[in-house]
Amino acid sequence: MLRGLYNWTMDKASHPHAVWWLALFAFVESSFFPIPPHPLLGLMCLAEPKKAVKFALVCTLASVAGALLGYAIGWGLYDSVGVWLIGALGLTDAFPVAACHLREYDFEAILIAGATPVPFKLLTITAGFVGMNLVTFVLSSLFARALIFMTVGILFRVFGAPIKRMIDKYLGIVTTAFVFLVVGGVLVLTQLGGSREDGGVCASATEVKPAR
């Protein structure tokens, strides 16, 4: 089943309109969609390595645009849409910790979330809620998303064929590694505030109030 899904996705990834699907996935993932665009980006780069940098740039810009939607939800629609989204994504307990970190570290917090498997949408919604400076938010989001997506694009552009052969041969191992990466991102998220024993400033954050 995994091999069939892989082959089907590879076929779709090389479709003439696949870039629009990539942009859509990247846009909605930054604000409310639970599935990240990374797998689609990787498969599209595999299908057409010469266009990998272009795909990565599209993914980066669409993701930052989606981040602005997440910011808008947190800023103006948190009590209605935002609360529901955070709950549906299972991030209710992490929200106060994320808000605390954004108030303490703003740029660095967005950078970490944007360049790791930590759910980026949590930070985009939270940034709007706490009233993070919009210019700082956009710049940090652009830098973070470019760091991860453009790195993927450049690597596939340079090493596309060998990487494709490796994934074709070791698909199961690669899939398992990706799952562990996502799980690791969730673990990082739960430890954002540090342990209570370490006295982290955000460790016991339980309440948030908008800074506007």
Side-chain angles (χ1 to χ4, degrees):
M1 183 175 66
L2 179 60
R3 175 64 60 179
L5 179 61
Y6 171 73
N7 292 335
W8 181 86
T9 308
M10 281 293 291
D11 179 63
K12 298 302 180 185
S14 60
H15 191 276
H17 301 298
V19 67
W20 293 104
W21 284 105
L22 176 64
L24 179 62
F25 270 99
F27 178 83
V28 298
E29 186 272 337
S30 293
S31 51
F32 62 86
F33 197 61
I35 300 176
H38 306 66
L40 181 57
L41 172 62
L43 289 174
M44 289 177 63
C45 291
L46 279 172
E48 298 187 74
K50 292 183 179 180
K51 297 182 179 180
V53 174
K54 172 188 174 181
F55 294 151
L57 180 60
V58 168
C59 199
T60 298
L61 296 178
S63 183
V64 174
L68 286 171
L69 175 59
Y71 185 100
I73 291 173
W75 186 82
L77 299 172
Y78 179 76
D79 290 337
S80 53
V81 179
V83 171
W84 178 82
L85 273 177
I86 293 295
L89 294 168
L91 299 172
T92 301
D93 292 338
F95 181 75
V97 177
C100 177
H101 273 269
L102 277 172
R103 290 188 177 115
E104 292 290 326
Y105 308 110
D106 57 12
F107 187 96
E108 292 86 349
I110 294 293
L111 180 61
I112 292 173
T116 65
V118 172
F120 189 47
K121 61 192 68 62
L122 170 65
L123 271 295
T124 64
I125 295 173
T126 308
F129 179 82
V130 302
M132 179 179 176
N133 180 273
L134 187 58
V135 174
T136 301
F137 173 75
V138 171
L139 290 177
S140 58
S141 297
L142 181 61
F143 190 85
R145 298 275 88 176
L147 180 63
I148 186 169
F149 293 139
M150 293 305 295
T151 298
V152 170
I154 292 171
L155 286 176
F156 274 103
R157 180 64 181 86
V158 177
F159 304 108
I163 292 176
K164 185 179 187 303
R165 286 195 295 269
M166 184 189 72
I167 292 180
D168 284 339
K169 185 175 181 180
Y170 302 107
L171 178 61
I173 296 175
V174 171
T175 303
T176 301
F178 180 78
V179 171
F180 275 108
L181 184 63
V182 173
V183 172
V186 174
L187 292 177
V188 169
L189 179 63
T190 61
Q191 298 299 319
L192 274 175
S195 66
R196 293 177 184 272
E197 291 76 14
D198 292 338
V201 66
C202 296
S204 58
T206 57
E207 182 179 357
V208 289
K209 295 179 181 179
R212 56 179 181 272

